[in-house]
Amino acid sequence: MAVDLFVISLCLILFFGKLFGSIFARFGLPAVVGEILAGLLLGPTLLNLVTPDPTLAIMAELGVILLLFSIGCETSIKRLYQAGGRAVCVASLGIIIPILVVGLSSAYYLTDSNFTALYLGCALTATSIGISLRVLAQAGHAQTPVGNIILGAAVIDDIAGVILLSVLFNFATQGSLDLASTLLLIAKVLLFLFLTPPLARGLLYIARALKPIADKSGYEVIITMVLICLFAWLAHLFGAPALLGGFAVGMALSRQFISPFNRYLVNPFTFTHKMELSTKAIVDLFAPIFFVYVGISLDLSQLDYSFGGVMLLVWLSLLAIISKLAAGWVAGEGWQNKLVVGSAMVPRGEVGLVFAELGRKMEIIDSKLFTELVVIIAITTLVGPLLLKWSLKNKDPHQS
């Protein structure tokens, strides 16, 4: 992308993202929905002022990495661990039900290829961590027991999505399942999640010790960005989503960080608090770029607008929504908790779009199926935050 086109595209993304996000927030609606609609306005669907581009896609990816960093800063490892059992149950149902329901429906209505139908079902197992957690954070529910279940389940969903994508990729290219490489990938991802927060915490102590006494050059924000980029790269190297690298650094900065070495090391709260505060403006700058870019990535003009085509999309979209709502049934006691967790699992967002794009490039799905899949992802991405906002209404943040 030429420099002049890049800067005007970024200008439009930032301006309209802020405008639409603020308007929606003013009416008590999730700002992310306004930002996604801003992308639909700017993108090929309506005005076609900004088109999808690899450079913008990378900036959007950085936005979601930074967003997960900010979520990690407020995350308690202990509370996340306590939510582990329910999070695993929610994630498991959120994977199995869409594969079965959407896969079988796709085989019946959309395609004669069982593998293509399976791919469509797997593509809709994803959950967008960034979208739901931002709505939860804005509502003051990110660090509640229900919020921890959602966070844990969404992280598991993301990891499972990467593994499923790798398995399907191997099968599509080799015609067989490579069990050894799949198990190796799972082991590497789990190892990354286990080792990186303590490693990042150790690097924080070194960075604090090396800080010049009279430094006024923005040392904390530079170190924070260095760590985020380093661990995002390490996550990619381990086969995990890059956004988990940002999350790991955030957990290392968290004032609620726990490890066996806490008794020997003084909590560097003053330093980590400065790191967190200094990075907030960067998070607020880049995070909306991701949500606007989700909208830009959609081109609704390619849809089949016949009655049959529209009804089929509505039916499959309802299946995609209900199959995730059903996963919330095992989230705990109380219908509101179940509804909150189920609603938070609905948006497919960036992970679903990765599935769709790879399927198109590998010719697993044709251009028509690609457009239909992206539209279903878009509908869940728009409906999910609205459902979540509604389900949180009058809910006490301290209620389990």
Side-chain angles (χ1 to χ4, degrees):
M1 175 180 277
V3 173
D4 58 336
L5 188 58
F6 169 75
V7 292
I8 191 60
S9 297
L10 186 59
C11 170
L12 293 171
I13 288 171
L14 292 173
F15 176 76
F16 282 96
K18 182 64 177 177
L19 176 64
F20 277 59
S22 299
I23 291 172
F24 271 63
R26 180 69 61 87
F27 287 96
L29 297 170
V32 295
V33 178
E35 289 161 357
I36 293 169
L37 289 177
L40 286 172
L41 175 69
L42 293 174
T45 296
L46 293 173
L47 300 181
N48 200 27
L49 297 175
V50 181
T51 55
D53 180 85
T55 305
L56 294 175
I58 290 172
M59 294 195 70
E61 178 79 5
L62 180 58
V64 78
I65 290 170
L66 287 166
L67 179 61
L68 263 292
F69 160 77
S70 68
I71 296 295
C73 287
E74 299 298 326
T75 297
S76 165
I77 296 176
K78 182 178 179 180
R79 282 161 53 191
L80 193 60
Y81 174 77
Q82 291 171 344
R86 288 180 178 175
V88 170
C89 292
V90 170
S92 299
L93 279 182
I95 292 167
I96 294 169
I97 296 175
I99 288 178
L100 292 176
V101 174
V102 178
L104 290 173
S105 296
S106 299
Y108 187 80
Y109 292 109
L110 290 178
T111 177
D112 295 327
S113 168
N114 291 331
F115 181 71
T116 300
L118 175 64
Y119 192 90
L120 292 170
C122 289
L124 292 174
T125 62
T127 294
S128 175
I129 300 179
I131 292 173
S132 292
L133 289 184
R134 193 171 182 208
V135 175
L136 286 169
Q138 289 170 343
H141 287 267
Q143 301 308 317
T144 61
V146 167
N148 285 315
I149 292 173
I150 292 167
L151 175 59
V155 168
I156 294 169
D157 258 12
D158 246 15
I159 295 169
V162 171
I163 293 168
L164 279 172
L165 197 58
S166 300
V167 170
L168 293 171
F169 178 80
N170 286 338
F171 189 85
T173 54
Q174 301 175 14
S176 61
L177 178 61
D178 188 347
L179 182 60
S181 64
T182 302
L183 292 176
L184 179 61
L185 175 64
I186 294 172
K188 288 196 299 182
V189 171
L190 294 178
L191 188 66
F192 174 84
L193 290 173
F194 181 75
L195 293 179
T196 49
L199 177 59
R201 186 73 167 190
L203 292 176
L204 289 178
Y205 285 101
I206 297 173
R208 184 183 64 168
L210 294 176
K211 180 184 177 181
I213 296 176
D215 182 83
K216 298 183 182 297
S217 63
Y219 182 84
E220 288 84 2
V221 70
I222 294 172
I223 292 298
T224 307
M225 288 304 300
V226 166
L227 289 175
I228 290 172
C229 293
L230 172 62
F231 281 88
W233 174 77
L234 285 174
H236 182 74
L237 191 67
F238 273 70
L243 54 85
L244 290 184
F247 182 64
V249 175
M251 284 199 298
L253 263 68
S254 173
R255 69 193 69 181
Q256 303 175 78
F257 182 87
I258 56 173
S259 81
F261 303 105
N262 276 13
R263 68 180 70 178
Y264 307 111
L265 296 171
V266 178
N267 192 327
F269 173 72
T270 303
F271 183 67
T272 57
H273 188 58
K274 283 183 179 178
M275 293 177 73
E276 183 181 348
L277 290 179
S278 64
T279 317
K280 187 179 185 305
I282 299 178
V283 175
D284 291 341
L285 172 67
F286 277 91
I289 295 176
F290 163 71
F291 300 107
V292 177
Y293 190 76
V294 169
I296 290 171
S297 301
L298 307 176
D299 185 1
L300 304 188
S301 64
Q302 298 183 30
L303 282 180
D304 175 8
Y305 286 101
S306 67
F307 179 78
V310 171
M311 291 307 297
L312 179 58
L313 275 179
V314 170
W315 169 247
L316 290 174
S317 298
L318 282 174
L319 289 180
I321 293 168
I322 293 170
S323 63
K324 284 291 190 178
L325 285 174
W329 188 255
V330 293
E333 299 178 358
W335 68 268
Q336 193 172 19
N337 284 345
K338 299 177 190 294
L339 184 59
V340 168
V341 174
S343 300
M345 304 302 287
V346 167
R348 300 320 200 265
E350 73 282 1
V351 183
L353 292 174
V354 169
F355 260 98
E357 181 62 21
L358 186 61
R360 183 185 64 82
K361 286 182 178 178
M362 295 179 61
E363 299 182 350
I364 298 173
I365 56 177
D366 57 26
S367 58
K368 180 176 180 294
L369 281 177
F370 170 77
T371 303
E372 290 169 340
L373 175 58
V374 168
V375 169
I376 294 170
I377 292 169
I379 291 172
T380 64
T381 302
L382 290 170
V383 170
L386 294 174
L387 274 175
L388 182 56
K389 177 75 175 181
W390 176 76
S391 65
L392 287 169
K393 190 174 182 181
N394 300 324
K395 181 173 173 58
D396 182 358
H398 302 292
Q399 178 186 355
S400 62

